[in-house]
């Protein structure tokens, strides 16, 4: 698989997330999962879009939103919902059923997407809402 094919898949994943108004973090996670699949299994020109399609998901999506996601996958990735459903277990097994992504694997993609979308930083993207603010916790000292 060539670098241009990998970049095209990432562009398609981001387009899907943008059209469905999904979080940037969803696209960043999809990038990281696709890289894990690419490094641990045979991702080829023929199956790259199918492999990437599995990981643009958000947990517990309502049925109507899941249908919209499958429609976008078909539109951008040229992969049918039937193919995605039939091969989903295989992809999870290739990931060793481990969906944890370490911050160092995820954050570079997140930062790259923020930059591509002309955000200066994470705070500009998240806004000033208290829900998204992160305050450092005071360390407890041993007495």
């Amino acid at each position: 698989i060539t670098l241009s094919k990998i970049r095209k898949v990432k562009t398609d994943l981001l387009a899907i997330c943008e059209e469905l108004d999904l979080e940037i973090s969803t696209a960043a996670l999809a990038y990281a999962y696709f890289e894990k699949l690419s490094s641990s299994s045979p991702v080829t020109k023929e199956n790259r879009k199918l492999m990437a399609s599995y990981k643009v998901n958000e947990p517990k999506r309502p049925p109507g939103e899941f249908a919209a996601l499958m429609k976008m996958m078909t539109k951008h990735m040229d992969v049918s919902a039937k193919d995605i459903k039939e091969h989903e277990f295989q992809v999870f097994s290739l990931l060793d059923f481990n969906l944890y992504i370490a911050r160092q694997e995820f954050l570079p993609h997140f930062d790259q997407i923020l930059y591509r979308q002309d955000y200066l930083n994470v705070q500009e993207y998240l806004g000033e809402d208290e829900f998204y603010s992160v305050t450092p916790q005071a360390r407890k000292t041993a007495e």
Side-chain angles (χ1 to χ4, degrees), residues 123 126-135:
Q123 195 61 41
L126 295 176
E128 299 299 325
D129 191 338
E130 283 294 315
F131 177 78
Y132 296 113
S133 67
V134 177
T135 55

Side-chain angles (χ1 to χ4, degrees), residues 87-103:
H87 295 92
E88 188 172 25
F89 188 80
Q90 177 187 6
V91 170
F92 286 131
S93 70
L94 290 171
L95 291 169
D96 295 327
F97 300 98
N98 182 9
L99 299 181
Y100 171 76
I101 297 287
R103 293 179 96 183

Side-chain angles (χ1 to χ4, degrees), residues 6-126:
I6 292 170
R7 287 182 177 157
K8 174 68 171 124
V9 166
K10 289 181 176 183
T11 300
D12 289 341
L13 290 171
L14 185 57
I16 291 166
C17 289
E18 288 173 346
E19 286 187 40
L20 293 175
D21 195 29
L22 300 177
E23 290 289 326
I24 288 176
S25 60
T26 300
L29 283 170
Y31 286 15
Y33 287 127
F34 182 66
E35 283 184 355
K36 278 187 166 232
L37 288 168
S38 297
S39 66
S40 68
S41 62
V43 174
T44 64
K45 180 180 176 182
E46 292 75 27
N47 73 358
R48 71 190 184 282
K49 291 183 177 184
L50 182 63
M51 296 294 249
S53 296
Y54 295 104
K55 297 321 315 154
V56 181
N57 59 23
E58 289 191 346
K60 301 180 182 174
R61 294 183 67 79
E65 289 183 29
F66 184 75
L69 177 61
M70 290 297 110
K71 186 176 179 179
M72 285 294 126
M73 291 293 184
T74 301
K75 175 183 172 185
H76 288 280
M77 306 294 264
D78 196 28
V79 176
S80 72
K82 180 182 179 213
D83 285 341
I84 292 172
K85 290 174 186 174
E86 286 178 358
H87 295 92
E88 188 172 25
F89 188 80
Q90 177 187 6
V91 170
F92 286 131
S93 70
L94 290 171
L95 291 169
D96 295 327
F97 300 98
N98 182 9
L99 299 181
Y100 171 76
I101 297 287
R103 293 179 96 183
Q104 65 267 21
E105 295 176 50
F106 163 83
L107 286 178
H109 298 297
F110 187 80
D111 291 338
Q112 176 196 28
I113 294 168
L114 284 176
Y115 176 77
R116 285 178 63 186
Q117 293 191 335
D118 295 325
Y119 288 105
L120 296 176
N121 55 42
V122 175
Q123 195 61 41
E124 182 184 355
Y125 169 66
L126 295 176

